[in-house]
Amino acid sequence: MAGNASSTLDIAIIGAAHPHVEYVLSEIAVRADVRIAAVADHDAARLAELERRTQAPGYADPIALLDAHKVQAVAVFTEFGLRAPLVAELLRRNIFAIVDKPMAVTLPQLTLIEDALAGRNLLTLLLEKRFYPVTLALRSVLASGELGDIVSISSTGPHKLVPSRRPAWMFDPSIYGGILADLTVHDIDLALWLTGYTSGTISGWVSPTPAAGTTNFPALGRAILACDNGPQFSIEVDWIQPEASPRHGDYAMRISGTRGRADVLFAENRLLVETATRPRREVDLPQGASPAGFVFDHLARGEALQISAKDALRATRIAILAEDSAKQGGKPIRWG
């Protein structure tokens, strides 16, 4: 799949239903080794904007695009519930799938992707939290052993909703999928990537209180990710970040170990660490990386794929299981 130094990687973008499409557009704008060959969106206004931004031919039908253009990879930013059949089609055509989270919102959708993937590493998920400066610094702290054995991780993921600015599809449960299937994916992936655990149980809870300005859009959800013979992770996500806040979300994570504690303040780009032998200090941060750069480094330059298909599928599956658990009264469900 990797190109060589003299070739240009041709990709397509299908869908601009979510602002995360900017991850790919902004990355390609600063690269000479990747080119957008075509774009598609069933929404005419979004398609027109994609055509304007990329100066690439546009299609209302993604299959027509795939039939007309030979591309090595496709970035998918359609509505959440519409992604899985499209991803599966890409994989059946041996086209690398670059997918925004969530790539699927039900287990049957995820199975469709897994069956088409057939064990190949032909898929990745854009999990930008892995590349934040604070995350990279945290990983170094954990690798040093300074915190001892990890006992627990608790994370909060508040998001600003502002319903009037959101597209109608977000409020259709069959397309949106649910608060846990959507918002927990990042922190599930981070917790397992940082600690290396590979099996356990997941249980979910979704608040019966709707977010302000909606009638049945859940305000908050919580997932408890338990690892076999290891720690428990509490992942809370919500759509109740105050509208007057200057930030979209005050994301944070606390990692508690037998010898120390780390607090990650994602929104403020700060990492605070205190241990049995050192008082609280603020850790110097390394340079972060762009959300989509890693996949083009893989496809165009042959570098190792930093977020594997296996990792992408695992985080997605556990998030969906958390949503399913909530519907079953919080029943723990096995993962791994």
Side-chain angles (χ1 to χ4, degrees):
M1 179 59 60
N4 57 56
S6 62
S7 65
T8 301
L9 181 78
D10 278 342
I11 77 156
I13 294 176
I14 295 181
H18 196 283
H20 285 175
V21 69
E22 195 62 41
Y23 293 166
V24 166
L25 290 171
S26 59
E27 177 66 22
I28 290 176
V30 298
R31 300 183 75 113
D33 55 357
V34 185
R35 177 174 58 204
I36 299 174
V39 295
D41 200 314
H42 64 85
D43 181 280
R46 296 193 312 232
L47 179 59
E49 179 64 7
L50 273 179
E51 289 175 310
R52 185 191 71 79
R53 291 281 304 274
T54 64
Q55 295 297 299
Y59 296 80
D61 177 12
I63 302 303
L65 180 156
L66 296 176
D67 288 343
H69 297 268
K70 183 173 176 55
V71 293
Q72 286 80 53
V74 172
V76 179
F77 296 93
T78 63
E79 296 86 344
F80 297 171
L82 306 185
R83 292 175 178 175
L86 180 55
V87 172
E89 178 63 23
L90 297 175
L91 298 172
R92 284 192 288 266
R93 292 174 181 242
N94 295 309
I95 298 171
F96 193 99
I98 304 163
V99 197
D100 186 33
K101 71 90 195 142
M103 73 168 82
V105 296
T106 67
L107 287 180
Q109 285 184 1
L110 192 62
T111 299
L112 190 69
I113 292 172
E114 288 177 316
D115 289 348
L117 186 64
R120 295 169 297 167
N121 208 21
L122 206 59
L123 164 75
T124 198
L125 202 56
L126 297 178
L127 298 172
E128 75 270 18
K129 265 188 172 180
R130 283 204 194 187
F131 304 104
Y132 291 171
V134 281
T135 309
L136 299 174
L138 172 65
R139 201 163 195 231
S140 294
V141 168
L142 293 178
S144 75
E146 187 178 3
L147 303 186
D149 296 327
I150 302 305
V151 177
S152 76
I153 294 180
S154 58
S155 67
T156 56
H159 290 66
K160 198 182 289 187
L161 182 60
V162 194
S164 61
R165 297 186 203 158
R166 295 283 174 174
W169 65 262
M170 269 195 67
F171 303 101
D172 180 343
S174 68
I175 298 177
Y176 175 65
I179 189 169
L180 295 177
D182 173 22
L183 298 182
T184 66
V185 176
H186 285 298
D187 286 341
I188 288 169
D189 172 71
L190 271 196
L192 299 178
W193 181 62
L194 290 168
T195 63
Y197 286 92
T198 57
S199 64
T201 61
I202 183 77
S203 53
W205 176 82
V206 171
S207 170
T209 305
T214 76
T215 52
N216 60 359
F217 193 70
L220 184 145
R222 189 176 290 119
I224 302 297
L225 179 64
C227 301
D228 290 336
N229 301 310
Q232 187 183 83
F233 308 138
S234 170
I235 299 169
E236 184 175 290
V237 291
D238 71 59
W239 285 109
I240 52 177
Q241 172 83 359
E243 286 194 15
S245 170
R247 293 175 294 274
H248 175 63
D250 291 300
Y251 315 137
M253 179 178 277
R254 169 169 281 185
I255 298 91
S256 299
T258 53
R259 298 175 57 202
R261 183 173 71 200
D263 284 301
V264 188
L265 307 177
F266 289 106
E268 298 175 24
N269 206 30
R270 299 176 69 201
L271 174 60
L272 306 174
V273 176
E274 52 191 331
T275 69
T277 56
R278 295 180 68 180
R280 190 170 83 159
R281 73 187 196 277
E282 184 158 349
V283 177
D284 290 336
L285 304 181
Q287 190 76 24
S290 68
F294 77 96
V295 67
F296 298 124
D297 289 344
H298 168 67
L299 294 171
R301 300 179 184 174
E303 296 184 14
L305 183 62
Q306 293 189 50
I307 300 175
S308 68
K310 182 178 178 182
D311 287 357
L313 293 169
R314 179 177 68 176
T316 305
R317 175 176 294 279
I318 295 172
I320 293 169
L321 291 176
E323 192 75 43
D324 288 353
S325 167
K327 290 171 183 166
Q328 299 176 54
K331 169 189 169 187
I333 301 174
R334 292 286 310 170
W335 62 271

